[in-house]
Structure formats: C-alpha cells, structure tokens
Amino acid sequence: MTLRIYILIPIIFISCTYQNESKLIQQKLGVKLIDSNATFGTVALFYNLKNNPESKIIFGHHHSTAYGIGWRGEIDKSDVKDVTGSYPGVIGWDFADLNFNPEEQPNWLENNVIRAYDNGLINIFAWHLDNLVTGKNFYDTTIVVKHILPGGSHHEIYKRELDRIAYFSKHIIGKDGKLIPIFFRPFHEFDGSWFWWGEHFCTSEEYIALWQFTIKYLRDEQKVKNILYAFSPDCKYTSEYGFLERYPGDEYVDLIGMDNYWDFTPLGEGLIAVKAKLKLVSKIAKERNKIAAFTETGLEKIYDEKWWTDKLLKVIKNDSINIAFVMVWRNAHLDHFYVPFKNHPSSGNFIEFKNDPKIIFADELPDLYNLGKILSY
C-alpha cells in the first residue's frame, strides 16, 4: 500500500511578503517550525512527515548513494537499491564532509544531495565536527564546548564552521529551481561520552547554550531558511526527565528522535527497552507538536540474518510508536556495514522487511515537498 497524504486547505489570497506567507501557512496548517520564515518546501516536508494518517515508516540509510561494499562514487548506485530495487526514502549525510573535497569529486556531497531531492528523497545531516581546540577528530574529548560559546577563545573559529553549513545550505538547488529542504542533527548522542559534546565534557547549561546559539546563528544571522533541526540523544535515558535534561526548548527543535544501537546487542537492554524508549520519543514529540523519528540504529555486519523482521520491524511496528522514519548507519567496508549488499545472507529478510505494509522505501514515497495549490499570487 502506498502512503497517501491528503491536504485539505482552502486557497489563501496573500499580498504580503514571502516571510509572512510562510508564517501564515504554518498557522493554517497548525504547525510551528523553528523558523517562521521557512521555505514552502521546508514547511511541506515538516507537515507531511508529522501528519502521516497511515502511520507509515520511511526507511533510511546513511551515505547510501555515496559508497558501499566494493564501490564508491558511482552515480545512481546504492547497496540498498542493488538488493531491493529501490533507494531508501531517507539518506543520511555529514556536514563534516564539507571539509573534505577530494580533487576527483569536489562536489560529491552537493551532487548526491541534489540527486536525492530530485528523486523525492529526504536528506538528513549529522555533524561529526572535529575538536576545534586541539585540531584532532571528534573522538578527542578535550574540553571544547565552553571555548566555542560566545565569549570563548574559539568562538570565531566555530562561527566559521557554521558559515560553511550556511553557505552550503543556501546554495543547494533542485532541478525544480527551489532550495532543497534538509534536516540538521547537530551534537547527537550527547548523553554518551564518546564525542567532545558528550555529557561528561560540558554542563547541561553549556550544551543548551551551544544548541541555541547554533540555531540562532544559522537562522537569524545567516538567514538559512531550509533547515529543520533534529534533537537526538542516544539511548541512555530511562525517563522523560532524563530525556529532556538537555533539551534546548520547543522553539529550537523540529524533530525529536533517538539513536539506539546498544539495546539490539547482547549487552543492551533488549527489544522491550527499545520499544519503551521509542514510545517515550513518540509521546514527547506528539505533546510538543514535533516530528518523531528513530534517527540512528542498526546491527553492524548483520550477523542475525532475520534481524530486519524479527528485531527491527517488531520494535517499530507498534500502535504506540509513531515515527516518521528509521535510519540505519552506513556501508563502509566488510567489517563495518549496516544494510545487506547483493548475495549477503540477510538480503532475503531485508526484502521481506521492505515489503511489509508498514515500511516505505523511495519507490513508494509521496510528494513530501508539496502542499498542493494553496497559494494564489
């Protein structure tokens, strides 16, 4: 069954500015994005993901069209497509890649994002930003956050990193001539201790201040109008209070999600815990009029051949869980992959997962970037 989203909105006659039009559209739709001046496509993406009458779940895969097992940089290729015949509906990217432009493919990130949008897919960005104090990678947990906040020794350096994101975001144009809406998921898995923005390396107040500054700088200073902002802790929380301890406020979040690999492993808390945590994500998002999502998960090397239907599908196929999408991590090499490639033992079960009526891949996506003819110019 294909997901169908019906928009029943009266025609609006407006003669005011574009910005006021966007704000009025949001009011008529009963939604409130972080950015009251967001592009129409960005508003449409938010609305259509949040208002999913059949509670379908879109499947996503990080870096899906950039590389896979035994290949890299081949146009229109994806391990997901090789196995199922379809792209995933969501593709994950990383703003850290803006600092990496190999000479042979200087525009690879931009080109992949544009192709995904032109095919109707959703683009979502994480940000594995290097340690700006030491110059080492994001796993270097030397204290950073307090130094990049306003007044800190590395604040201007941090702003230059945000300028890269702003420039990129304001210059990605689809074949329809419109700015491409994207999700941005900064400082994810902050309740862990493996990134420099983790809970052991900054206070709750510092983390919230960093989040709020980041959004205000991109939205208000750089006038970026095509980003939806996603808040996604790891799975360490056990209560709503714990989940919201570092929540920056409803006015700074569009999507509420969770990353959870741990509970699918023998050392984790198991499927019951995954369900409970996703139910809490769904509840919090609904109460705050936000999108809910399972922003990262997966089983590395997929050593359980029936993981897709016996584990992942069982977890997300629940009436109390209302998430817009689920995304698994990348296929980098034979010791680090999260979707099956051709002839992998779990390929058949992956196809079974795709064919479940609850799940949506790219071949069943509706037009998520359109609200219909609701404007008359």
Side-chain angles (χ1 to χ4, degrees):
M1 182 184 298
T2 300
L3 175 62
R4 293 179 176 88
I5 297 172
Y6 299 97
I7 313 300
L8 300 175
I9 309 237
I11 294 176
I12 304 167
F13 294 89
I14 304 171
S15 59
C16 50
T17 65
Y18 176 95
Q19 288 77 12
N20 288 334
E21 287 179 357
S22 181
K23 190 172 185 178
L24 183 55
I25 290 170
Q26 293 182 47
Q27 291 172 350
K28 292 291 184 179
L29 293 171
V31 298
K32 186 178 181 182
L33 281 63
I34 284 178
D35 192 347
S36 61
N37 300 326
T39 67
F40 301 152
T42 307
V43 176
L45 180 60
F46 180 95
Y47 180 87
N48 285 325
L49 288 179
K50 184 180 173 298
N51 294 275
N52 176 2
E54 296 178 352
S55 299
K56 301 288 188 174
I57 299 172
I58 304 169
F59 176 75
H61 181 217
H62 188 78
H63 275 176
S64 194
T65 55
Y67 51 79
I69 303 304
W71 65 275
R72 176 178 292 271
E74 296 182 33
I75 294 176
D76 296 329
K77 188 172 175 61
S78 165
D79 287 346
V80 173
K81 186 179 180 183
D82 284 350
V83 172
T84 69
S86 173
Y87 293 114
V90 177
I91 301 187
W93 307 106
D94 199 322
F95 276 132
D97 289 327
L98 293 176
N99 296 324
F100 176 69
N101 284 321
E103 291 182 4
E104 64 274 15
Q105 287 186 309
N107 299 315
W108 73 269
L109 182 59
E110 177 183 359
N111 292 339
N112 273 285
V113 170
I114 292 171
R115 278 195 293 269
Y117 170 78
D118 288 344
N119 286 319
L121 280 59
I122 301 166
N123 292 288
I124 182 167
F125 283 78
W127 196 20
H128 290 87
L129 177 64
D130 287 345
N131 187 310
L132 296 180
V133 173
T134 66
K136 297 180 181 178
N137 70 25
F138 46 87
Y139 287 126
D140 178 7
T141 55
T142 302
I143 299 300
V144 177
V145 173
K146 70 177 182 180
H147 297 302
I148 61 176
L149 287 170
S153 58
H154 289 63
H155 181 60
E156 293 302 317
I157 294 175
Y158 179 61
K159 284 169 63 177
R160 288 200 293 272
E161 294 297 328
L162 291 178
D163 290 341
R164 293 176 186 266
I165 293 174
Y167 183 86
F168 177 87
S169 302
K170 292 193 290 187
H171 291 83
I172 45 171
I173 309 293
K175 66 181 179 183
D176 58 6
K178 298 176 182 177
L179 267 179
I180 296 174
I182 60 176
F183 281 96
F184 180 24
R185 196 163 59 92
F187 311 120
H188 66 300
E189 299 176 10
F190 53 84
D191 50 337
S193 58
W194 42 87
F195 300 137
W196 55 257
W197 56 85
E199 67 173 354
H200 293 163
F201 315 112
C202 60
T203 66
S204 295
E205 292 77 15
E206 288 170 340
Y207 181 87
I208 290 170
L210 178 61
W211 182 284
Q212 292 179 351
F213 171 81
T214 300
I215 275 65
K216 287 188 287 188
Y217 185 80
L218 291 172
R219 180 193 63 194
D220 303 335
E221 295 295 323
Q222 290 294 339
K223 308 298 182 186
V224 179
K225 302 302 177 189
N226 55 325
I227 293 182
L228 295 166
Y229 297 91
F231 176 82
S232 57
D234 197 57
C235 60
K236 307 303 180 186
Y237 62 91
T238 57
S239 66
E240 184 169 346
Y241 173 82
F243 185 92
L244 295 173
E245 184 179 359
R246 299 194 172 206
Y247 185 67
D250 289 346
E251 64 271 35
Y252 295 96
V253 172
D254 292 306
L255 180 149
I256 292 175
M258 173 186 72
D259 293 7
N260 193 344
Y261 300 89
W262 179 253
D263 288 331
F264 284 108
T265 70
L267 298 175
E269 298 178 30
L271 301 189
I272 293 176
V274 182
K275 287 182 183 178
K277 293 169 186 179
L278 283 174
K279 286 179 183 179
L280 185 57
V281 167
S282 299
K283 174 180 177 289
I284 293 171
K286 182 178 180 180
E287 290 173 348
R288 286 164 169 76
N289 205 17
K290 309 295 182 184
I291 301 166
F294 199 172
T295 40
E296 267 190 53
T297 190
L299 184 68
E300 190 174 34
K301 294 194 282 191
I302 326 172
Y303 51 82
D304 179 352
E305 292 181 17
K306 293 188 177 297
W307 183 81
W308 300 100
T309 57
D310 290 1
K311 300 294 192 303
L312 182 59
L313 189 60
K314 282 185 178 179
V315 163
I316 61 179
K317 199 173 181 179
N318 186 291
D319 290 341
S320 299
I321 295 172
N322 186 16
I323 54 174
F325 63 83
V326 56
M327 184 173 73
V328 300
W329 200 236
R330 64 183 185 156
N331 279 21
H333 45 73
L334 285 175
D335 289 324
H336 184 69
F337 64 90
Y338 288 83
V339 300
F341 44 93
K342 245 181 180 177
N343 300 319
H344 185 272
S346 75
S347 294
N349 190 244
F350 188 46
I351 294 171
E352 187 179 345
F353 169 81
K354 177 190 182 298
N355 290 337
D356 190 276
K358 185 78 170 180
I359 304 302
I360 293 288
F361 278 55
D363 58 346
E364 294 185 294
L365 278 177
D367 185 356
L368 295 169
Y369 299 100
N370 189 6
L371 287 172
K373 297 179 179 180
I374 64 171
L375 290 178
S376 178
Y377 293 98

mmCIF file of all heavy atoms in Angstrom, residues 184-202:
data_model
loop_
_atom_site.group_PDB
_atom_site.id
_atom_site.type_symbol
_atom_site.label_atom_id
_atom_site.label_comp_id
_atom_site.label_asym_id
_atom_site.label_seq_id
_atom_site.Cartn_x
_atom_site.Cartn_y
_atom_site.Cartn_z
ATOM 1 N N PHE A 184 18.929 18.880 9.935
ATOM 2 C CA PHE A 184 20.246 19.010 10.551
ATOM 3 C C PHE A 184 20.147 18.474 11.974
ATOM 4 O O PHE A 184 19.302 18.902 12.754
ATOM 5 C CB PHE A 184 20.681 20.476 10.546
ATOM 6 C CG PHE A 184 22.039 20.732 11.155
ATOM 7 C CD1 PHE A 184 23.012 19.745 11.225
ATOM 8 C CD2 PHE A 184 22.339 21.997 11.658
ATOM 9 C CE1 PHE A 184 24.250 19.993 11.779
ATOM 10 C CE2 PHE A 184 23.584 22.265 12.206
ATOM 11 C CZ PHE A 184 24.541 21.261 12.281
ATOM 12 N N ARG A 185 21.036 17.532 12.301
ATOM 13 C CA ARG A 185 21.010 16.836 13.584
ATOM 14 C C ARG A 185 22.324 17.086 14.325
ATOM 15 O O ARG A 185 23.180 16.218 14.428
ATOM 16 C CB ARG A 185 20.798 15.343 13.309
ATOM 17 C CG ARG A 185 20.366 14.498 14.454
ATOM 18 C CD ARG A 185 19.806 13.178 13.941
ATOM 19 N NE ARG A 185 20.770 12.432 13.166
ATOM 20 C CZ ARG A 185 21.586 11.510 13.678
ATOM 21 N NH1 ARG A 185 21.569 11.226 14.950
ATOM 22 N NH2 ARG A 185 22.414 10.865 12.882
ATOM 23 N N PRO A 186 22.500 18.305 14.854
ATOM 24 C CA PRO A 186 23.784 18.635 15.490
ATOM 25 C C PRO A 186 23.940 17.987 16.854
ATOM 26 O O PRO A 186 22.955 17.733 17.557
ATOM 27 C CB PRO A 186 23.714 20.163 15.618
ATOM 28 C CG PRO A 186 22.255 20.453 15.766
ATOM 29 C CD PRO A 186 21.556 19.435 14.898
ATOM 30 N N PHE A 187 25.184 17.686 17.224
ATOM 31 C CA PHE A 187 25.542 17.274 18.583
ATOM 32 C C PHE A 187 24.687 16.105 19.073
ATOM 33 O O PHE A 187 24.148 16.122 20.180
ATOM 34 C CB PHE A 187 25.475 18.472 19.530
ATOM 35 C CG PHE A 187 26.190 19.673 19.007
ATOM 36 C CD1 PHE A 187 25.525 20.866 18.783
ATOM 37 C CD2 PHE A 187 27.542 19.611 18.674
ATOM 38 C CE1 PHE A 187 26.184 21.971 18.266
ATOM 39 C CE2 PHE A 187 28.214 20.700 18.163
ATOM 40 C CZ PHE A 187 27.534 21.891 17.958
ATOM 41 N N HIS A 188 24.565 15.086 18.222
ATOM 42 C CA HIS A 188 23.746 13.920 18.541
ATOM 43 C C HIS A 188 24.453 13.038 19.570
ATOM 44 O O HIS A 188 25.642 13.186 19.833
ATOM 45 C CB HIS A 188 23.466 13.131 17.260
ATOM 46 C CG HIS A 188 24.682 12.506 16.646
ATOM 47 N ND1 HIS A 188 25.776 13.238 16.222
ATOM 48 C CD2 HIS A 188 24.994 11.202 16.398
ATOM 49 C CE1 HIS A 188 26.687 12.426 15.728
ATOM 50 N NE2 HIS A 188 26.240 11.187 15.828
ATOM 51 N N GLU A 189 23.698 12.131 20.159
ATOM 52 C CA GLU A 189 24.223 11.174 21.142
ATOM 53 C C GLU A 189 24.988 11.870 22.258
ATOM 54 O O GLU A 189 25.986 11.358 22.774
ATOM 55 C CB GLU A 189 25.085 10.120 20.440
ATOM 56 C CG GLU A 189 24.316 9.314 19.403
ATOM 57 C CD GLU A 189 25.157 8.337 18.615
ATOM 58 O OE1 GLU A 189 26.330 8.125 18.978
ATOM 59 O OE2 GLU A 189 24.652 7.790 17.602
ATOM 60 N N PHE A 190 24.464 13.014 22.658
ATOM 61 C CA PHE A 190 25.128 13.852 23.656
ATOM 62 C C PHE A 190 25.097 13.245 25.058
ATOM 63 O O PHE A 190 25.845 13.675 25.943
ATOM 64 C CB PHE A 190 24.476 15.240 23.695
ATOM 65 C CG PHE A 190 22.985 15.185 23.893
ATOM 66 C CD1 PHE A 190 22.437 15.073 25.153
ATOM 67 C CD2 PHE A 190 22.135 15.214 22.794
ATOM 68 C CE1 PHE A 190 21.065 14.999 25.327
ATOM 69 C CE2 PHE A 190 20.761 15.142 22.955
ATOM 70 C CZ PHE A 190 20.217 15.035 24.232
ATOM 71 N N ASP A 191 24.233 12.267 25.292
ATOM 72 C CA ASP A 191 24.177 11.624 26.597
ATOM 73 C C ASP A 191 25.225 10.533 26.740
ATOM 74 O O ASP A 191 25.334 9.896 27.789
ATOM 75 C CB ASP A 191 22.775 11.063 26.878
ATOM 76 C CG ASP A 191 22.224 10.216 25.730
ATOM 77 O OD1 ASP A 191 22.687 10.395 24.590
ATOM 78 O OD2 ASP A 191 21.333 9.391 25.981
ATOM 79 N N GLY A 192 26.020 10.314 25.706
ATOM 80 C CA GLY A 192 27.144 9.398 25.777
ATOM 81 C C GLY A 192 28.418 10.146 26.147
ATOM 82 O O GLY A 192 28.415 11.344 26.423
ATOM 83 N N SER A 193 29.528 9.446 26.106
ATOM 84 C CA SER A 193 30.804 10.066 26.496
ATOM 85 C C SER A 193 31.880 9.839 25.449
ATOM 86 O O SER A 193 33.065 9.816 25.754
ATOM 87 C CB SER A 193 31.264 9.499 27.846
ATOM 88 O OG SER A 193 31.396 8.087 27.775
ATOM 89 N N TRP A 194 31.466 9.639 24.192
ATOM 90 C CA TRP A 194 32.447 9.348 23.139
ATOM 91 C C TRP A 194 32.744 10.546 22.245
ATOM 92 O O TRP A 194 33.716 10.532 21.513
ATOM 93 C CB TRP A 194 31.981 8.168 22.303
ATOM 94 C CG TRP A 194 30.521 8.159 21.955
ATOM 95 C CD1 TRP A 194 29.925 8.755 20.886
ATOM 96 C CD2 TRP A 194 29.472 7.537 22.686
ATOM 97 N NE1 TRP A 194 28.573 8.540 20.884
ATOM 98 C CE2 TRP A 194 28.256 7.783 21.997
ATOM 99 C CE3 TRP A 194 29.435 6.783 23.872
ATOM 100 C CZ2 TRP A 194 27.028 7.303 22.454
ATOM 101 C CZ3 TRP A 194 28.216 6.306 24.312
ATOM 102 C CH2 TRP A 194 27.035 6.573 23.612
ATOM 103 N N PHE A 195 31.897 11.595 22.247
ATOM 104 C CA PHE A 195 32.156 12.809 21.476
ATOM 105 C C PHE A 195 32.489 13.958 22.428
ATOM 106 O O PHE A 195 32.069 13.949 23.590
ATOM 107 C CB PHE A 195 30.924 13.196 20.652
ATOM 108 C CG PHE A 195 30.474 12.170 19.661
ATOM 109 C CD1 PHE A 195 29.129 11.879 19.500
ATOM 110 C CD2 PHE A 195 31.398 11.481 18.874
ATOM 111 C CE1 PHE A 195 28.697 10.942 18.577
ATOM 112 C CE2 PHE A 195 30.977 10.536 17.953
ATOM 113 C CZ PHE A 195 29.627 10.263 17.802
ATOM 114 N N TRP A 196 33.174 14.976 21.915
ATOM 115 C CA TRP A 196 33.559 16.098 22.792
ATOM 116 C C TRP A 196 32.362 16.899 23.292
ATOM 117 O O TRP A 196 32.470 17.659 24.253
ATOM 118 C CB TRP A 196 34.586 17.010 22.116
ATOM 119 C CG TRP A 196 34.235 17.583 20.765
ATOM 120 C CD1 TRP A 196 34.697 17.172 19.553
ATOM 121 C CD2 TRP A 196 33.361 18.688 20.494
ATOM 122 N NE1 TRP A 196 34.175 17.940 18.543
ATOM 123 C CE2 TRP A 196 33.360 18.889 19.093
ATOM 124 C CE3 TRP A 196 32.596 19.545 21.290
ATOM 125 C CZ2 TRP A 196 32.613 19.895 18.467
ATOM 126 C CZ3 TRP A 196 31.847 20.550 20.686
ATOM 127 C CH2 TRP A 196 31.859 20.714 19.292
ATOM 128 N N TRP A 197 31.203 16.737 22.696
ATOM 129 C CA TRP A 197 29.996 17.402 23.179
ATOM 130 C C TRP A 197 29.188 16.505 24.122
ATOM 131 O O TRP A 197 28.063 16.834 24.485
ATOM 132 C CB TRP A 197 29.129 17.850 22.001
ATOM 133 C CG TRP A 197 28.753 16.759 21.042
ATOM 134 C CD1 TRP A 197 27.691 15.894 21.137
ATOM 135 C CD2 TRP A 197 29.419 16.413 19.824
ATOM 136 N NE1 TRP A 197 27.668 15.030 20.069
ATOM 137 C CE2 TRP A 197 28.720 15.334 19.240
ATOM 138 C CE3 TRP A 197 30.548 16.921 19.170
ATOM 139 C CZ2 TRP A 197 29.112 14.745 18.052
ATOM 140 C CZ3 TRP A 197 30.944 16.321 17.975
ATOM 141 C CH2 TRP A 197 30.225 15.256 17.430
ATOM 142 N N GLY A 198 29.753 15.376 24.523
ATOM 143 C CA GLY A 198 29.063 14.447 25.409
ATOM 144 C C GLY A 198 28.866 15.009 26.805
ATOM 145 O O GLY A 198 29.503 15.988 27.217
ATOM 146 N N GLU A 199 28.004 14.351 27.576
ATOM 147 C CA GLU A 199 27.570 14.897 28.865
ATOM 148 C C GLU A 199 28.698 15.046 29.883
ATOM 149 O O GLU A 199 28.604 15.875 30.793
ATOM 150 C CB GLU A 199 26.453 14.036 29.459
ATOM 151 C CG GLU A 199 26.874 12.644 29.861
ATOM 152 C CD GLU A 199 25.767 11.910 30.599
ATOM 153 O OE1 GLU A 199 24.731 12.551 30.885
ATOM 154 O OE2 GLU A 199 25.925 10.717 30.884
ATOM 155 N N HIS A 200 29.772 14.269 29.757
ATOM 156 C CA HIS A 200 30.873 14.371 30.710
ATOM 157 C C HIS A 200 31.807 15.545 30.417
ATOM 158 O O HIS A 200 32.691 15.842 31.228
ATOM 159 C CB HIS A 200 31.694 13.076 30.724
ATOM 160 C CG HIS A 200 30.944 11.899 31.258
ATOM 161 N ND1 HIS A 200 31.343 10.595 31.044
ATOM 162 C CD2 HIS A 200 29.811 11.824 31.990
ATOM 163 C CE1 HIS A 200 30.476 9.773 31.617
ATOM 164 N NE2 HIS A 200 29.549 10.504 32.188
ATOM 165 N N PHE A 201 31.604 16.210 29.279
ATOM 166 C CA PHE A 201 32.566 17.218 28.842
ATOM 167 C C PHE A 201 31.973 18.619 28.720
ATOM 168 O O PHE A 201 32.632 19.540 28.257
ATOM 169 C CB PHE A 201 33.200 16.775 27.521
ATOM 170 C CG PHE A 201 33.606 15.335 27.541
ATOM 171 C CD1 PHE A 201 32.966 14.394 26.750
ATOM 172 C CD2 PHE A 201 34.599 14.909 28.407
ATOM 173 C CE1 PHE A 201 33.309 13.054 26.796
ATOM 174 C CE2 PHE A 201 34.965 13.558 28.461
ATOM 175 C CZ PHE A 201 34.314 12.631 27.657
ATOM 176 N N CYS A 202 30.710 18.749 29.120
ATOM 177 C CA CYS A 202 30.089 20.068 29.197
ATOM 178 C C CYS A 202 28.894 19.972 30.132
ATOM 179 O O CYS A 202 28.319 18.887 30.291
ATOM 180 C CB CYS A 202 29.653 20.598 27.830
ATOM 181 S SG CYS A 202 28.432 19.563 26.967
#
